[in-house]
Amino acid sequence: VKVTYVAADGTRTDVDAEPGSNVMQTALDNDVDGIVGECGGAMMCATCHCYVDEDWTGATGARNDGEDDMLDCAADEVKPSSRLSCQIKLTEALDGLVVHLPEEQA
Ligand code: FES
C-alpha cells in the first residue's frame, strides 16, 4: 500500500506501508518527519494530526467522535480534512493515499 506524506514545506515522501498498519505508525516506521504519535495510537494526543488530500477524503471516511474531541488539542489549524493519522487504517482501498502534514504537532 503506497502512502505519500506531503510536509508543510511541500516535500513529498512516498513509502510502502504494511496493509493493516495505520498512517501514524507507517510514518514512524519510515522516519517521516511531521508526525509524532506521542500516545502510540491510543487517541490520547493530537500529535499525529494530518490533513487528508481532497481526492482521498471519501475513501478515508469521516473522523469519529473521539478524534473530534482530541483534535481540539491539535497544535495547528483544524480543517474539515483533519484526521488523527493513527485512526486511518491502511487497506488496499487506500493504495496511493496522500496526506498533508501540519507545520506543528505540539
Ligand atoms: Fe496519539 Fe494518534 S498517536 S492520537
Side-chain angles (χ1 to χ4, degrees), residues 24 37-48 70 84-87:
M24 178 278 288
E38 208 164 75
C39 76
M43 255 205 308
M44 299 292 285
C45 71
T47 62
C48 64
M70 212 55 247
L84 293 178
S85 59
C86 65
Q87 301 302 308

Side-chain angles (χ1 to χ4, degrees), residues 3-43:
V3 183
T4 299
Y5 296 87
V6 184
D9 68 2
T11 308
R12 297 172 75 92
T13 309
D14 297 322
V15 306
D16 262 320
E18 290 292 324
S21 186
N22 63 59
V23 174
M24 178 278 288
Q25 194 58 52
T26 299
L28 263 50
D29 291 348
N30 291 279
D31 296 323
V32 176
D33 281 342
I35 299 250
V36 179
E38 208 164 75
C39 76
M43 255 205 308

Side-chain angles (χ1 to χ4, degrees), residues 2-102:
K2 289 238 186 300
V3 183
T4 299
Y5 296 87
V6 184
D9 68 2
T11 308
R12 297 172 75 92
T13 309
D14 297 322
V15 306
D16 262 320
E18 290 292 324
S21 186
N22 63 59
V23 174
M24 178 278 288
Q25 194 58 52
T26 299
L28 263 50
D29 291 348
N30 291 279
D31 296 323
V32 176
D33 281 342
I35 299 250
V36 179
E38 208 164 75
C39 76
M43 255 205 308
M44 299 292 285
C45 71
T47 62
C48 64
H49 182 199
C50 73
Y51 306 113
V52 174
D53 190 86
E54 57 183 18
D55 289 344
W56 288 94
T57 47
T60 52
R63 54 186 183 238
N64 60 44
D65 289 348
E67 285 181 76
D68 257 337
D69 290 347
M70 212 55 247
L71 279 167
D72 288 344
C73 306
D76 219 319
E77 185 194 354
V78 175
K79 303 179 187 173
S81 61
S82 289
R83 294 290 309 267
L84 293 178
S85 59
C86 65
Q87 301 302 308
I88 306 175
K89 197 174 169 196
L90 290 165
T91 59
E92 297 294 341
L94 293 181
D95 187 30
L97 176 68
V98 180
V99 296
H100 300 264
L101 306 177

